Amino acid sequence: MHRFALRILASSLIFGLISACQPADESGIQKKLDQYASFTLTTDLAQLTQQEQDMIPILIEAAQQMDPIFWQQAYGNHDSLLASIDDPATRQYVEINFGPWDRLDADAPFIEGVGPKPAGANLYPADITKQEFNASLDAPEATVSQLRSLYTLVRRASDGSLTPVPYHEAFAEHVAVASERLAAAAELAEDPGLKRYLELRSEALLTDEYRDSDLAWMDMKDNTIDVVIGPIETYEDALFGYKAAYEAYILIKDQEWSDRLSRFASLLPDLQRGLPVNDAYKRETPGTDSDLNAYDVVYYAGDANAGSKTIAINLPNDETVQLEKGTRRLQLKNAMRAKFDKIMVPLADVLIAEDQRQHVKFDAFFSNTMFHEVAHGLGIKNTVNERGTVREAMQEHASPIEEGKADILGLYMVTELFEQGEFAEGEVMDNYVTFLAGIFRSIRFGASSAHGRANMVRFNYFQEQGAFTRDEETGTYSVDLEAMQRAMGSLSRLILTLQGDGDYEGAGALLQEKGVVGPELQADLDRLAEADIPVDIIFEQGMSVLGG
Ligand code: ZN
C-alpha cells in the first residue's frame, strides 16, 4: 500500500531513531518468536479446473505486491531496516510484524533505539498531531476530503503544510504490477462473475475507485476461486482510522461446507420457533439468505499477514455497497485448522480432563464456529417494549451480549440438529467439550474484546450451573452433559430476554458480575502461559507448498 519520493523522507525519519539496531535482548526475541507456531497453507488443487489452477500463481504474484506496499504504510523502508539487523530471530520477528513494533504486545518496540510506533504509522508524517490535522481542515473542501480519504497518504509539502498523496500515485509501481496480474487472471477466469470482478478490481487498483468492483464482488455466487485484494481495513491507522491498509487473501471455496451452511440457514425459521423462550421473544422471522461460505486460504499478504491472523472475513466495508447488496461472510477453514492444531489441542492437554480430551475435535471446533455465525440470525433485532432496536437499547453492551447470544444459540442449534438427524458428524459431546476448550481460548486471547467478555460471562454462568466441573488435583475441567444442556437452555433464555426487553441495566449487571476472571481461572490460564502454548500462527505459503 504505498510509495513515492516523500516516503524516503518519512522512513528515514523513523530509521534515524535506530542507533545500533540490536534487539533489546536476544533470548527475549526468541521467546517472542515462539509465540507463533508455523502452519503450511495448502488445499486440494485437484478440485479446480485446469484454467483455475493456472490462475493461482498469477493471483499470488498480484497478492505479493501488497507486501511492499503494506511495509511502506506500516513503517517505511523494509530493505534498509532489514539490512541493519544481523540476528536471524530478530529479522524474522521484524518480517512477521512488518516493522520493529510487536503487534502482540500493543506495538511495543522490540529493537533497541526504536521509539514508539507513531499512532498514524507511516500513513501520516511521524510528528503529526490530531490538533494539527484538524486545524488543516479549513482547507478547500476537495483537499479536506482528500486528506481524510481512505486512499491517500498524508505528507508534508515543502512549506511544511499537510498534503494528500493518492495511493495509486504513492504506490504506482506496485499497483501497476498487481493490476496487470489481475487482468491476466481475468482472462483465464471461466466464471463470468469472477472475470468481471477481477477486471474491475484491476482497474480500481489504478484509480482508487473501488465501489464498482465491490458491487461486482457481491454479485459473485458460483465462483470457486475468490480474491480479496487492495486497501481494505483501517486498523493500521490508530490516529484517525481513516486510512485503509493494503492486503490480499486468495481463497478456494469449500463447496461441501458452503452447501451445508445454506441448508442450515434455511432451517433458521424452524429453529427460531423452537427457541426456549416465551413467544414474544421469538416473534421475528429470521432471514434465510445469509451469504456465508467456507474457504481454504492459499495466500495471505500485507495487512492480513501482519501479526495475528484472521480466520473470518466480513466485507465489503463500503456502507453504500452494504445498503444495496449486504455483505459476504467468509470463514477460513484451513486457517481455523491451524489455530486448532497449534493452540486448541495443546490448550486442551493442559485444561481438559484426560478422559474427555478425545472429544476436542477440529470438526466440532469448525462446526461450532459456523453455527455461531448462523446463530446471529436467531432471536430478535427489535425490542418487545418499544425501546427501538436491540442494538440501540443495549448501547455499549450490545456487542458482548450479541456475541454471547450467537455462541450459546450456536450450541443450541448443533444440539437441535443432532436431535433432528440433520447433523451427524461425531457426537454432540464433541461439540460441548470443544466448546468448553474454546471458552478458555477466547478468554485467554480476547479479554478486552466483545468475544472475550461474552466467554467470561458464560464460563462463570456454566460453572455456577454445574455445566462443567473442575478436578482439584489435576486442575482440569469436565463437561457434565445434562447440566450443560440445562445451562444452555437457561442462559439462552436469559440473553434472549435481556435483548428483547432492551434491558440495558440488566445486561450491564450481568457483564459486571460475570464478565470477570476469578483467581482460580486466572491461575489456570497462567498454567497455559507457563506451558508456552503458542498465541498465534505464521504461514508457510505459496506455490512451493501448494505444488501444481
Ligand atoms: Zn459473532
Side-chain angles (χ1 to χ4, degrees):
M1 324 179 184
H2 357 56
R3 67 229 38 222
F4 58 113
L6 284 172
R7 84 189 183 221
I8 297 166
L9 176 67
S11 57
S12 61
L13 255 177
I14 296 171
F15 189 68
L17 300 170
I18 303 172
S19 48
C21 272
Q22 287 310 305
D25 165 7
E26 284 191 16
S27 70
I29 289 289
Q30 191 55 50
K31 222 169 161 48
K32 286 179 179 298
L33 208 47
D34 291 343
Q35 295 177 101
Y36 288 92
S38 180
F39 184 88
T40 302
L41 281 183
T42 55
T43 192
D44 177 18
L45 288 184
Q47 61 181 311
L48 301 181
T49 67
Q50 185 58 50
Q51 279 183 230
E52 286 171 335
Q53 292 185 29
D54 293 344
M55 290 170 71
I56 300 292
I58 299 172
L59 292 171
I60 289 177
E61 285 164 13
Q64 284 169 334
Q65 297 299 316
M66 304 300 110
D67 287 334
I69 302 183
F70 184 62
W71 256 99
Q72 285 294 333
Q73 292 186 302
Y75 169 77
N77 194 299
H78 164 271
D79 293 349
S80 51
L81 177 60
L82 267 288
S84 70
I85 301 166
D86 293 328
D87 174 49
T90 306
R91 293 170 68 98
Q92 195 187 350
Y93 208 60
V94 165
E95 297 279 12
I96 290 170
N97 285 283
F98 283 75
W101 300 289
D102 188 350
R103 292 174 185 270
L104 291 183
D105 185 19
D107 284 328
F110 56 87
I111 293 179
E112 208 172 318
V114 172
K117 183 173 183 176
N122 194 27
L123 299 159
Y124 303 83
D127 60 351
I128 196 174
T129 62
K130 278 196 164 199
Q131 292 89 319
E132 183 192 8
F133 187 87
N134 289 332
S136 71
L137 298 180
D138 56 10
E141 183 64 40
T143 308
V144 169
S145 81
Q146 279 298 295
L147 282 171
R148 280 185 171 151
S149 166
L150 277 166
Y151 308 124
T152 61
L153 296 175
V154 174
R155 291 298 182 247
R156 288 195 189 284
S158 49
D159 64 358
S161 64
L162 299 177
T163 181
V165 182
Y167 280 177
H168 65 273
E169 293 175 18
F171 310 122
E173 175 197 335
H174 295 291
V175 295
V177 176
S179 169
E180 187 280 324
R181 295 283 76 194
L182 290 188
E187 287 193 14
L188 291 171
E190 294 151 302
D191 179 76
L194 175 62
K195 185 192 249 341
R196 178 167 163 72
Y197 164 67
L198 289 172
E199 287 166 355
L200 290 170
R201 204 68 176 176
S202 167
E203 284 172 40
L205 286 169
L206 302 177
T207 60
D208 296 327
E209 303 280 350
Y210 286 92
R211 184 162 296 161
D212 288 349
S213 62
D214 279 348
L215 289 165
W217 190 69
M218 286 306 302
D219 289 337
M220 287 173 24
K221 300 286 178 212
D222 305 317
N223 50 305
T224 305
I225 295 182
D226 210 324
V227 187
V228 171
I229 187 167
I232 295 175
E233 302 292 353
T234 57
Y235 306 110
E236 191 67 13
D237 177 0
L239 188 64
F240 288 108
Y242 292 153
K243 308 297 175 189
Y246 281 76
E247 66 181 351
Y249 301 86
I250 300 171
L251 307 139
I252 312 291
K253 192 183 281 177
D254 182 326
Q255 200 58 56
E256 193 200 328
W257 253 104
S258 296
D259 292 346
R260 296 173 83 184
L261 287 168
S262 49
R263 166 90 187 134
F264 297 146
S266 76
L267 300 172
L268 280 176
D270 262 349
L271 289 160
Q272 172 89 350
R273 281 189 283 276
L275 288 175
V277 70
N278 288 340
D279 286 349
Y281 298 92
K282 49 183 175 181
R283 63 186 181 187
E284 294 174 14
T285 305
T288 55
D289 56 348
S290 107
D291 198 337
L292 174 66
N293 289 283
Y295 298 81
D296 276 343
V297 197
V298 296
Y299 210 83
Y300 281 73
D303 190 22
N305 203 32
S308 189
K309 307 301 185 293
T310 296
I311 54 175
I313 305 172
N314 189 356
L315 288 172
N317 291 332
D318 183 336
E319 277 126 13
T320 307
V321 179
Q322 288 182 3
L323 282 175
E324 193 174 326
K325 305 253 186 194
T327 63
R328 286 173 53 201
R329 290 178 292 159
L330 296 77
Q331 302 291 316
L332 313 182
K333 192 177 180 202
N334 58 347
M336 288 184 202
R337 163 74 78 175
K339 298 212 178 189
F340 179 82
D341 287 354
K342 304 293 182 179
I343 301 169
M344 282 279 280
V345 170
L347 178 153
D349 286 343
V350 176
L351 291 183
I352 299 295
E354 202 173 349
D355 65 340
Q356 290 199 345
R357 268 173 220 160
Q358 83 266 15
H359 290 295
V360 178
K361 290 187 180 158
F362 176 68
D363 285 345
F365 180 61
F366 185 67
S367 57
N368 284 349
T369 310
M370 293 302 97
F371 284 114
H372 167 105
E373 291 299 326
V374 178
H376 274 300
L378 289 170
I380 45 181
K381 311 287 179 214
N382 299 291
T383 58
V384 301
N385 49 10
E386 327 261 287
R387 289 190 177 169
T389 66
V390 171
R391 179 152 290 280
E392 287 161 359
M394 297 302 243
Q395 302 175 49
E396 78 272 20
H397 306 323
S399 290
I401 295 291
E402 173 63 20
E403 292 309 329
K405 180 202 84 175
D407 282 335
I408 198 69
L409 293 189
L411 201 62
Y412 156 81
M413 277 186 77
V414 182
T415 310
E416 288 294 302
L417 294 178
F418 261 115
E419 281 172 13
Q420 295 172 20
E422 284 282 349
F423 191 75
E425 226 158 80
E427 47 183 307
V428 71
M429 196 62 173
D430 296 346
N431 292 80
Y432 290 176
V433 179
T434 305
F435 188 85
L436 176 59
I439 294 177
F440 293 116
R441 174 179 169 270
S442 296
I443 292 176
R444 181 185 180 206
F445 301 118
S448 62
S449 73
H451 282 278
R453 291 197 74 195
N455 277 283
M456 289 171 197
V457 168
R458 196 164 43 256
F459 178 89
N460 290 309
Y461 187 91
F462 275 6
Q463 192 162 43
E464 284 166 22
Q465 303 286 318
F468 57 77
T469 52
R470 180 180 182 277
D471 181 72
E472 288 297 326
E473 210 160 297
T474 57
T476 59
Y477 294 79
S478 300
V479 168
D480 177 325
L481 182 76
E482 280 171 22
M484 179 87 142
Q485 292 190 330
R486 275 196 306 274
M488 186 178 78
S490 61
L491 181 57
S492 297
R493 199 151 44 240
L494 173 63
I495 292 181
L496 289 167
T497 308
L498 284 171
Q499 287 190 318
D501 291 341
D503 187 353
Y504 173 81
E505 309 285 325
L510 180 69
L511 289 168
Q512 179 150 23
E513 186 194 323
K514 295 207 168 40
V516 292
V517 175
E520 184 178 80
L521 174 58
Q522 188 56 55
D524 288 335
L525 296 175
D526 291 346
R527 283 160 51 218
L528 293 178
E530 283 157 26
D532 283 333
I533 293 170
V535 176
D536 224 290
I537 305 295
I538 45 177
F539 297 122
E540 298 288 329
Q541 59 177 2
M543 290 314 293
S544 61
V545 299
L546 278 175

